[in-house]
Amino acid sequence: MREFGYERAFDVSGAVALLGGEPEARFLAGGTNLVDLMKAGVERPALLIDVRELPLDGVEFTEDGGLRIGSTVTNSDLAAHPEVRRRFPALAQAVLAGASGQLRNMATVGGNLLQRTRCGYFIDLSKPCNKRTPGSGCPALTGEHHNHGILGTSEHCVATHPSDMAVALAAFDAVISYETADGPGELPIDEFYLPVGETPHIETALPAGALITGVTLPQDPVAARSRYRKVRERASYAFAIGSLAAALDVQDDVVSEVRLAFGAVASRPWRARAAEQVLIGRTASAEAFAAAADAELAAAEALPENGYKVTLMRNLVVAVLTELTEEAAR
């Protein structure tokens, strides 16, 4: 591991200024991803700026009745917060599905948004990887790729984004707030994560030198009727091979509102807008749910070993939306 400096920041402007003074600095919160990457040699910062003491660890109501979540809120505190559990249950479920209790106690909201892929080629310095070394190639295309992407991929990268939390945030149109030396800014989550394209090493639209300060969830009544379902290869603390954040409102057996986001199928959380459009105004049935999933998955480009994800996601959409429909009818 490269030797590095350490500074602790106590206010947002001070943290941003420290980063601006050292181009090879990184913000450190829980460190549950960054420190692992440093040990592997993937990340080699010259300076770590500890932001855990910043006053960004609260959850509060917004003027329109939504929730604003500070970037240093731990995953454990987020999942346990009564308003998150009541108004955005899929978000609480996603966080609880994401890691062990020990990791959730350390990991933060801001860090979760910025975690890197768990692709084996990315963390293996003996192998090429376009995310790590642009232009070096993507060995996953012809190598191990059973857990890689089927939507929005490119010839330059087929890795998936590992976050469970971000999938739920994508379903509910979260907005990410940040601070730079030039002042504050915001990015809708749809714009925060960039398509993989020809530059897989550029993962977000976050400006250089920016510190994530929080996430805002707008008021959305349908979110209270939501669920997160994660499929993994073992029951305990594994990354998803497919996941779904879903919210559904059914009136007189007809779908009036729906939110769908897929996880573990793309380089970013995948908002399933084509599926949502198919469902609005249709009778809530397994056949309609399957047709909606098929509309979204029509764009899938599977590799030889990950085509199972198409069937998996189709079945996941049908199962979760059927469960939400049955709950609404009780």
Side-chain angles (χ1 to χ4, degrees), residues 199-257:
T199 55
H201 61 292
I202 306 175
E203 297 175 344
T204 76
L206 197 65
L211 170 69
I212 294 177
T213 54
V215 177
T216 300
L217 288 165
Q219 184 181 31
D220 192 356
V222 73
R225 296 177 290 279
S226 65
R227 178 165 299 173
Y228 183 78
R229 181 68 54 79
K230 177 178 181 176
V231 180
R232 42 194 163 186
E233 292 179 325
R234 65 177 191 269
S236 179
Y237 313 132
F239 293 103
I241 58 174
S243 66
L244 174 69
L248 184 69
D249 187 32
V250 177
Q251 301 292 332
D252 299 323
D253 296 326
V254 173
V255 176
S256 58
E257 293 285 344

Short mmCIF file of all heavy atoms in Angstrom, two decimals, residues 199-257:
data_model
loop_
_atom_site.label_atom_id
_atom_site.label_comp_id
_atom_site.label_asym_id
_atom_site.label_seq_id
_atom_site.Cartn_x
_atom_site.Cartn_y
_atom_site.Cartn_z
N THR A 199 -16.15 5.19 -22.01
CA THR A 199 -15.35 5.69 -20.88
C THR A 199 -15.83 5.08 -19.57
O THR A 199 -16.34 5.77 -18.69
CB THR A 199 -15.44 7.23 -20.81
OG1 THR A 199 -16.84 7.61 -20.74
CG2 THR A 199 -14.81 7.88 -22.02
N PRO A 200 -15.68 3.77 -19.43
CA PRO A 200 -16.19 3.13 -18.20
C PRO A 200 -15.49 3.59 -16.93
O PRO A 200 -16.03 3.40 -15.84
CB PRO A 200 -15.93 1.64 -18.45
CG PRO A 200 -14.86 1.59 -19.49
CD PRO A 200 -15.08 2.80 -20.34
N HIS A 201 -14.32 4.21 -17.06
CA HIS A 201 -13.60 4.70 -15.87
C HIS A 201 -14.23 5.98 -15.32
O HIS A 201 -13.95 6.37 -14.19
CB HIS A 201 -12.14 4.96 -16.20
CG HIS A 201 -11.92 5.98 -17.27
ND1 HIS A 201 -12.28 5.78 -18.59
CD2 HIS A 201 -11.38 7.24 -17.22
CE1 HIS A 201 -11.96 6.84 -19.30
NE2 HIS A 201 -11.43 7.73 -18.49
N ILE A 202 -15.10 6.64 -16.09
CA ILE A 202 -15.82 7.83 -15.61
C ILE A 202 -17.22 7.36 -15.24
O ILE A 202 -18.09 7.20 -16.09
CB ILE A 202 -15.86 8.94 -16.68
CG1 ILE A 202 -14.44 9.27 -17.16
CG2 ILE A 202 -16.55 10.17 -16.13
CD1 ILE A 202 -14.41 10.26 -18.30
N GLU A 203 -17.46 7.15 -13.97
CA GLU A 203 -18.67 6.48 -13.52
C GLU A 203 -19.81 7.42 -13.15
O GLU A 203 -20.98 7.03 -13.24
CB GLU A 203 -18.33 5.57 -12.33
CG GLU A 203 -17.35 4.47 -12.72
CD GLU A 203 -16.89 3.63 -11.55
OE1 GLU A 203 -17.08 4.05 -10.39
OE2 GLU A 203 -16.35 2.54 -11.80
N THR A 204 -19.50 8.61 -12.70
CA THR A 204 -20.55 9.54 -12.28
C THR A 204 -20.31 10.92 -12.90
O THR A 204 -19.22 11.21 -13.39
CB THR A 204 -20.61 9.70 -10.75
OG1 THR A 204 -19.52 10.54 -10.31
CG2 THR A 204 -20.56 8.36 -10.04
N ALA A 205 -21.34 11.75 -12.84
CA ALA A 205 -21.26 13.13 -13.31
C ALA A 205 -20.88 14.09 -12.19
O ALA A 205 -20.97 15.31 -12.36
CB ALA A 205 -22.60 13.55 -13.92
N LEU A 206 -20.46 13.56 -11.05
CA LEU A 206 -20.06 14.40 -9.94
C LEU A 206 -18.87 15.27 -10.36
O LEU A 206 -17.87 14.75 -10.86
CB LEU A 206 -19.67 13.52 -8.75
CG LEU A 206 -19.60 14.15 -7.36
CD1 LEU A 206 -20.99 14.60 -6.92
CD2 LEU A 206 -19.02 13.15 -6.37
N PRO A 207 -18.95 16.58 -10.18
CA PRO A 207 -17.83 17.44 -10.60
C PRO A 207 -16.55 17.12 -9.83
O PRO A 207 -16.58 16.63 -8.70
CB PRO A 207 -18.33 18.86 -10.26
CG PRO A 207 -19.81 18.74 -10.15
CD PRO A 207 -20.08 17.36 -9.65
N ALA A 208 -15.43 17.42 -10.47
CA ALA A 208 -14.14 17.22 -9.81
C ALA A 208 -14.09 18.05 -8.53
O ALA A 208 -14.53 19.20 -8.50
CB ALA A 208 -13.01 17.63 -10.75
N GLY A 209 -13.56 17.46 -7.48
CA GLY A 209 -13.42 18.17 -6.22
C GLY A 209 -14.70 18.27 -5.40
O GLY A 209 -14.74 19.02 -4.42
N ALA A 210 -15.73 17.52 -5.78
CA ALA A 210 -17.03 17.62 -5.09
C ALA A 210 -17.12 16.64 -3.93
O ALA A 210 -16.59 15.53 -3.97
CB ALA A 210 -18.17 17.36 -6.07
N LEU A 211 -17.84 17.07 -2.91
CA LEU A 211 -18.17 16.23 -1.76
C LEU A 211 -19.68 16.02 -1.75
O LEU A 211 -20.45 17.00 -1.74
CB LEU A 211 -17.74 16.92 -0.46
CG LEU A 211 -18.23 16.29 0.84
CD1 LEU A 211 -17.55 14.95 1.08
CD2 LEU A 211 -17.99 17.23 2.02
N ILE A 212 -20.13 14.79 -1.74
CA ILE A 212 -21.56 14.51 -1.60
C ILE A 212 -21.99 14.90 -0.20
O ILE A 212 -21.38 14.50 0.79
CB ILE A 212 -21.86 13.02 -1.86
CG1 ILE A 212 -21.57 12.67 -3.32
CG2 ILE A 212 -23.33 12.70 -1.53
CD1 ILE A 212 -21.76 11.19 -3.64
N THR A 213 -23.05 15.72 -0.12
CA THR A 213 -23.53 16.18 1.19
C THR A 213 -24.84 15.54 1.61
O THR A 213 -25.18 15.55 2.79
CB THR A 213 -23.69 17.71 1.19
OG1 THR A 213 -24.55 18.09 0.09
CG2 THR A 213 -22.34 18.41 1.04
N GLY A 214 -25.60 15.00 0.67
CA GLY A 214 -26.86 14.38 1.05
C GLY A 214 -27.63 13.85 -0.13
O GLY A 214 -27.26 14.04 -1.30
N VAL A 215 -28.74 13.19 0.18
CA VAL A 215 -29.65 12.63 -0.80
C VAL A 215 -31.06 13.04 -0.41
O VAL A 215 -31.46 12.89 0.75
CB VAL A 215 -29.56 11.09 -0.86
CG1 VAL A 215 -30.58 10.53 -1.84
CG2 VAL A 215 -28.16 10.65 -1.24
N THR A 216 -31.81 13.56 -1.39
CA THR A 216 -33.20 13.95 -1.13
C THR A 216 -34.15 13.02 -1.85
O THR A 216 -33.98 12.75 -3.05
CB THR A 216 -33.46 15.40 -1.60
OG1 THR A 216 -32.58 16.28 -0.88
CG2 THR A 216 -34.89 15.80 -1.33
N LEU A 217 -35.12 12.51 -1.12
CA LEU A 217 -36.19 11.70 -1.68
C LEU A 217 -37.46 12.54 -1.71
O LEU A 217 -37.97 12.92 -0.65
CB LEU A 217 -36.42 10.45 -0.84
CG LEU A 217 -35.33 9.38 -0.93
CD1 LEU A 217 -35.48 8.38 0.21
CD2 LEU A 217 -35.40 8.66 -2.26
N PRO A 218 -37.98 12.86 -2.90
CA PRO A 218 -39.22 13.65 -2.96
C PRO A 218 -40.40 12.85 -2.42
O PRO A 218 -40.39 11.61 -2.43
CB PRO A 218 -39.38 13.94 -4.45
CG PRO A 218 -38.58 12.91 -5.15
CD PRO A 218 -37.46 12.53 -4.24
N GLN A 219 -41.39 13.57 -1.95
CA GLN A 219 -42.60 12.90 -1.46
C GLN A 219 -43.20 12.06 -2.58
O GLN A 219 -43.37 12.53 -3.71
CB GLN A 219 -43.62 13.92 -0.97
CG GLN A 219 -44.86 13.29 -0.35
CD GLN A 219 -45.86 14.32 0.10
OE1 GLN A 219 -45.96 15.39 -0.49
NE2 GLN A 219 -46.61 14.01 1.14
N ASP A 220 -43.54 10.83 -2.28
CA ASP A 220 -44.06 9.90 -3.28
C ASP A 220 -44.93 8.88 -2.56
O ASP A 220 -44.42 7.89 -2.04
CB ASP A 220 -42.91 9.22 -4.01
CG ASP A 220 -43.37 8.47 -5.24
OD1 ASP A 220 -44.59 8.41 -5.49
OD2 ASP A 220 -42.51 7.93 -5.97
N PRO A 221 -46.25 9.09 -2.50
CA PRO A 221 -47.11 8.19 -1.72
C PRO A 221 -46.99 6.73 -2.09
O PRO A 221 -47.09 5.86 -1.22
CB PRO A 221 -48.52 8.73 -2.00
CG PRO A 221 -48.30 10.18 -2.31
CD PRO A 221 -47.00 10.24 -3.05
N VAL A 222 -46.75 6.42 -3.39
CA VAL A 222 -46.68 5.02 -3.79
C VAL A 222 -45.47 4.33 -3.17
O VAL A 222 -45.45 3.10 -3.00
CB VAL A 222 -46.65 4.89 -5.33
CG1 VAL A 222 -45.30 5.32 -5.90
CG2 VAL A 222 -46.97 3.46 -5.76
N ALA A 223 -44.44 5.09 -2.77
CA ALA A 223 -43.24 4.51 -2.20
C ALA A 223 -43.53 3.78 -0.89
O ALA A 223 -42.78 2.88 -0.49
CB ALA A 223 -42.18 5.59 -1.98
N ALA A 224 -44.61 4.16 -0.19
CA ALA A 224 -44.96 3.49 1.06
C ALA A 224 -45.43 2.06 0.81
O ALA A 224 -45.46 1.24 1.74
CB ALA A 224 -46.05 4.28 1.79
N ARG A 225 -45.78 1.76 -0.44
CA ARG A 225 -46.19 0.40 -0.81
C ARG A 225 -45.12 -0.20 -1.71
O ARG A 225 -45.35 -0.45 -2.90
CB ARG A 225 -47.55 0.44 -1.51
CG ARG A 225 -48.68 0.95 -0.62
CD ARG A 225 -50.00 1.04 -1.36
NE ARG A 225 -50.00 2.12 -2.33
CZ ARG A 225 -50.21 3.40 -2.03
NH1 ARG A 225 -50.44 3.76 -0.79
NH2 ARG A 225 -50.22 4.32 -2.98
N SER A 226 -43.94 -0.38 -1.14
CA SER A 226 -42.79 -0.80 -1.94
C SER A 226 -42.08 -1.98 -1.30
O SER A 226 -42.27 -2.30 -0.12
CB SER A 226 -41.81 0.36 -2.12
OG SER A 226 -41.24 0.77 -0.88
N ARG A 227 -41.22 -2.60 -2.10
CA ARG A 227 -40.47 -3.77 -1.64
C ARG A 227 -39.16 -3.87 -2.42
O ARG A 227 -39.10 -3.49 -3.59
CB ARG A 227 -41.30 -5.04 -1.85
CG ARG A 227 -40.61 -6.33 -1.46
CD ARG A 227 -41.61 -7.45 -1.37
NE ARG A 227 -42.62 -7.17 -0.35
CZ ARG A 227 -43.69 -7.91 -0.14
NH1 ARG A 227 -43.92 -8.97 -0.89
NH2 ARG A 227 -44.55 -7.59 0.81
N TYR A 228 -38.14 -4.38 -1.74
CA TYR A 228 -36.87 -4.67 -2.40
C TYR A 228 -36.61 -6.16 -2.28
O TYR A 228 -36.69 -6.73 -1.19
CB TYR A 228 -35.72 -3.90 -1.75
CG TYR A 228 -34.40 -4.11 -2.44
CD1 TYR A 228 -34.10 -3.44 -3.63
CD2 TYR A 228 -33.44 -4.96 -1.91
CE1 TYR A 228 -32.89 -3.63 -4.27
CE2 TYR A 228 -32.22 -5.15 -2.55
CZ TYR A 228 -31.95 -4.49 -3.73
OH TYR A 228 -30.74 -4.67 -4.36
N ARG A 229 -36.32 -6.78 -3.41
CA ARG A 229 -36.02 -8.21 -3.41
C ARG A 229 -34.67 -8.43 -4.07
O ARG A 229 -34.43 -7.95 -5.17
CB ARG A 229 -37.12 -8.96 -4.17
CG ARG A 229 -36.94 -10.47 -4.22
CD ARG A 229 -37.11 -11.15 -2.88
NE ARG A 229 -38.37 -10.81 -2.24
CZ ARG A 229 -39.56 -11.36 -2.55
NH1 ARG A 229 -39.64 -12.27 -3.49
NH2 ARG A 229 -40.65 -11.00 -1.90
N LYS A 230 -33.83 -9.19 -3.40
CA LYS A 230 -32.46 -9.44 -3.86
C LYS A 230 -32.24 -10.94 -4.03
O LYS A 230 -32.55 -11.73 -3.14
CB LYS A 230 -31.46 -8.87 -2.84
CG LYS A 230 -30.00 -9.13 -3.15
CD LYS A 230 -29.12 -8.46 -2.09
CE LYS A 230 -27.65 -8.65 -2.35
NZ LYS A 230 -26.81 -7.93 -1.38
N VAL A 231 -31.70 -11.30 -5.18
CA VAL A 231 -31.33 -12.69 -5.44
C VAL A 231 -29.81 -12.78 -5.43
O VAL A 231 -29.14 -11.97 -6.07
CB VAL A 231 -31.88 -13.18 -6.80
CG1 VAL A 231 -31.48 -14.63 -7.04
CG2 VAL A 231 -33.39 -13.02 -6.86
N ARG A 232 -29.28 -13.75 -4.70
CA ARG A 232 -27.84 -13.90 -4.58
C ARG A 232 -27.48 -15.38 -4.56
O ARG A 232 -28.35 -16.23 -4.37
CB ARG A 232 -27.32 -13.19 -3.34
CG ARG A 232 -28.17 -13.37 -2.10
CD ARG A 232 -27.81 -12.37 -1.02
NE ARG A 232 -28.85 -12.27 -0.01
CZ ARG A 232 -28.85 -11.41 0.99
NH1 ARG A 232 -27.84 -10.57 1.12
NH2 ARG A 232 -29.83 -11.37 1.86
N GLU A 233 -26.21 -15.66 -4.73
CA GLU A 233 -25.80 -17.05 -4.87
C GLU A 233 -25.67 -17.77 -3.53
O GLU A 233 -25.58 -18.99 -3.50
CB GLU A 233 -24.47 -17.12 -5.64
CG GLU A 233 -24.65 -16.71 -7.11
CD GLU A 233 -23.36 -16.75 -7.89
OE1 GLU A 233 -22.30 -16.44 -7.30
OE2 GLU A 233 -23.40 -17.08 -9.09
N ARG A 234 -25.62 -17.02 -2.45
CA ARG A 234 -25.69 -17.61 -1.11
C ARG A 234 -26.54 -16.68 -0.25
O ARG A 234 -26.69 -15.50 -0.55
CB ARG A 234 -24.30 -17.81 -0.51
CG ARG A 234 -23.52 -16.54 -0.23
CD ARG A 234 -22.18 -16.85 0.45
NE ARG A 234 -21.55 -15.62 0.94
CZ ARG A 234 -20.70 -14.89 0.24
NH1 ARG A 234 -20.39 -15.24 -1.00
NH2 ARG A 234 -20.16 -13.79 0.76
N ALA A 235 -27.07 -17.21 0.81
CA ALA A 235 -28.05 -16.46 1.58
C ALA A 235 -27.43 -15.33 2.40
O ALA A 235 -28.11 -14.37 2.74
CB ALA A 235 -28.81 -17.41 2.52
N SER A 236 -26.14 -15.41 2.70
CA SER A 236 -25.54 -14.49 3.66
C SER A 236 -24.56 -13.53 3.00
O SER A 236 -23.50 -13.96 2.52
CB SER A 236 -24.84 -15.30 4.75
OG SER A 236 -24.22 -14.45 5.69
N TYR A 237 -24.89 -12.26 2.97
CA TYR A 237 -23.96 -11.17 2.68
C TYR A 237 -23.23 -11.34 1.34
O TYR A 237 -22.02 -11.17 1.26
CB TYR A 237 -22.95 -11.00 3.82
CG TYR A 237 -23.60 -10.99 5.17
CD1 TYR A 237 -23.12 -11.76 6.21
CD2 TYR A 237 -24.74 -10.21 5.39
CE1 TYR A 237 -23.73 -11.75 7.46
CE2 TYR A 237 -25.36 -10.21 6.63
CZ TYR A 237 -24.86 -10.98 7.65
OH TYR A 237 -25.48 -10.97 8.87
N ALA A 238 -23.95 -11.68 0.31
CA ALA A 238 -23.37 -11.77 -1.02
C ALA A 238 -23.92 -10.64 -1.88
O ALA A 238 -25.02 -10.13 -1.65
CB ALA A 238 -23.69 -13.12 -1.66
N PHE A 239 -23.15 -10.26 -2.91
CA PHE A 239 -23.65 -9.27 -3.85
C PHE A 239 -24.73 -9.91 -4.72
O PHE A 239 -24.75 -11.12 -4.95
CB PHE A 239 -22.50 -8.73 -4.71
CG PHE A 239 -21.52 -7.92 -3.91
CD1 PHE A 239 -20.30 -8.46 -3.54
CD2 PHE A 239 -21.84 -6.64 -3.49
CE1 PHE A 239 -19.40 -7.74 -2.77
CE2 PHE A 239 -20.95 -5.91 -2.73
CZ PHE A 239 -19.73 -6.45 -2.37
N ALA A 240 -25.63 -9.07 -5.22
CA ALA A 240 -26.77 -9.57 -5.97
C ALA A 240 -26.34 -10.13 -7.33
O ALA A 240 -25.38 -9.65 -7.94
CB ALA A 240 -27.78 -8.45 -6.18
N ILE A 241 -27.07 -11.13 -7.80
CA ILE A 241 -27.00 -11.51 -9.21
C ILE A 241 -28.20 -10.93 -9.96
O ILE A 241 -28.26 -10.93 -11.18
CB ILE A 241 -26.92 -13.04 -9.40
CG1 ILE A 241 -28.12 -13.74 -8.74
CG2 ILE A 241 -25.62 -13.57 -8.82
CD1 ILE A 241 -28.16 -15.24 -9.03
N GLY A 242 -29.14 -10.40 -9.20
CA GLY A 242 -30.29 -9.68 -9.74
C GLY A 242 -31.10 -9.14 -8.58
O GLY A 242 -31.22 -9.80 -7.55
N SER A 243 -31.62 -7.92 -8.71
CA SER A 243 -32.43 -7.36 -7.64
C SER A 243 -33.47 -6.42 -8.23
O SER A 243 -33.35 -5.95 -9.36
CB SER A 243 -31.58 -6.64 -6.60
OG SER A 243 -30.96 -5.49 -7.16
N LEU A 244 -34.48 -6.13 -7.42
CA LEU A 244 -35.59 -5.30 -7.88
C LEU A 244 -36.12 -4.44 -6.74
O LEU A 244 -36.41 -4.95 -5.66
CB LEU A 244 -36.73 -6.17 -8.41
CG LEU A 244 -38.03 -5.47 -8.80
CD1 LEU A 244 -37.83 -4.60 -10.04
CD2 LEU A 244 -39.16 -6.48 -9.02
N ALA A 245 -36.22 -3.14 -6.99
CA ALA A 245 -36.97 -2.23 -6.11
C ALA A 245 -38.27 -1.91 -6.83
O ALA A 245 -38.25 -1.46 -7.98
CB ALA A 245 -36.18 -0.96 -5.84
N ALA A 246 -39.39 -2.15 -6.17
CA ALA A 246 -40.69 -1.98 -6.81
C ALA A 246 -41.67 -1.32 -5.86
O ALA A 246 -41.67 -1.59 -4.66
CB ALA A 246 -41.24 -3.33 -7.26
N ALA A 247 -42.52 -0.46 -6.42
CA ALA A 247 -43.64 0.14 -5.69
C ALA A 247 -44.84 0.10 -6.61
O ALA A 247 -44.71 0.29 -7.83
CB ALA A 247 -43.32 1.57 -5.28
N LEU A 248 -46.01 -0.14 -6.03
CA LEU A 248 -47.20 -0.36 -6.86
C LEU A 248 -48.44 0.16 -6.17
O LEU A 248 -48.64 -0.07 -4.98
CB LEU A 248 -47.35 -1.86 -7.14
CG LEU A 248 -48.48 -2.30 -8.07
CD1 LEU A 248 -48.19 -1.86 -9.50
CD2 LEU A 248 -48.66 -3.82 -8.01
N ASP A 249 -49.28 0.83 -6.95
CA ASP A 249 -50.60 1.24 -6.48
C ASP A 249 -51.63 0.72 -7.46
O ASP A 249 -51.53 0.96 -8.68
CB ASP A 249 -50.71 2.77 -6.37
CG ASP A 249 -52.01 3.21 -5.72
OD1 ASP A 249 -52.53 2.46 -4.86
OD2 ASP A 249 -52.53 4.27 -6.09
N VAL A 250 -52.60 -0.02 -6.94
CA VAL A 250 -53.65 -0.62 -7.77
C VAL A 250 -55.00 -0.09 -7.32
O VAL A 250 -55.34 -0.16 -6.13
CB VAL A 250 -53.61 -2.16 -7.66
CG1 VAL A 250 -54.75 -2.78 -8.46
CG2 VAL A 250 -52.28 -2.70 -8.14
N GLN A 251 -55.77 0.45 -8.25
CA GLN A 251 -57.11 0.95 -7.98
C GLN A 251 -58.10 0.21 -8.86
O GLN A 251 -57.99 0.22 -10.09
CB GLN A 251 -57.18 2.46 -8.27
CG GLN A 251 -56.22 3.31 -7.45
CD GLN A 251 -56.58 3.33 -5.98
OE1 GLN A 251 -57.75 3.18 -5.60
NE2 GLN A 251 -55.56 3.51 -5.12
N ASP A 252 -59.07 -0.48 -8.21
CA ASP A 252 -60.08 -1.26 -8.96
C ASP A 252 -59.41 -2.23 -9.94
O ASP A 252 -59.81 -2.35 -11.11
CB ASP A 252 -61.03 -0.33 -9.72
CG ASP A 252 -61.81 0.58 -8.78
OD1 ASP A 252 -62.19 0.11 -7.69
OD2 ASP A 252 -62.02 1.75 -9.13
N ASP A 253 -58.40 -2.91 -9.45
CA ASP A 253 -57.65 -3.93 -10.20
C ASP A 253 -56.81 -3.38 -11.34
O ASP A 253 -56.27 -4.15 -12.15
CB ASP A 253 -58.61 -5.00 -10.77
CG ASP A 253 -59.31 -5.79 -9.69
OD1 ASP A 253 -58.69 -6.02 -8.62
OD2 ASP A 253 -60.47 -6.18 -9.88
N VAL A 254 -56.67 -2.06 -11.41
CA VAL A 254 -55.90 -1.43 -12.49
C VAL A 254 -54.68 -0.73 -11.89
O VAL A 254 -54.78 -0.07 -10.85
CB VAL A 254 -56.76 -0.43 -13.28
CG1 VAL A 254 -55.92 0.34 -14.29
CG2 VAL A 254 -57.90 -1.16 -13.98
N VAL A 255 -53.54 -0.88 -12.54
CA VAL A 255 -52.31 -0.24 -12.07
C VAL A 255 -52.40 1.26 -12.31
O VAL A 255 -52.52 1.72 -13.45
CB VAL A 255 -51.08 -0.80 -12.81
CG1 VAL A 255 -49.81 -0.05 -12.38
CG2 VAL A 255 -50.94 -2.30 -12.54
N SER A 256 -52.36 2.03 -11.22
CA SER A 256 -52.41 3.49 -11.35
C SER A 256 -51.03 4.14 -11.20
O SER A 256 -50.76 5.18 -11.80
CB SER A 256 -53.37 4.09 -10.32
OG SER A 256 -52.98 3.75 -9.01
N GLU A 257 -50.16 3.53 -10.39
CA GLU A 257 -48.80 4.04 -10.21
C GLU A 257 -47.86 2.85 -10.05
O GLU A 257 -48.22 1.85 -9.41
CB GLU A 257 -48.68 4.93 -8.97
CG GLU A 257 -49.43 6.25 -9.08
CD GLU A 257 -48.73 7.25 -9.98
OE1 GLU A 257 -47.53 7.05 -10.27
OE2 GLU A 257 -49.38 8.22 -10.39
#
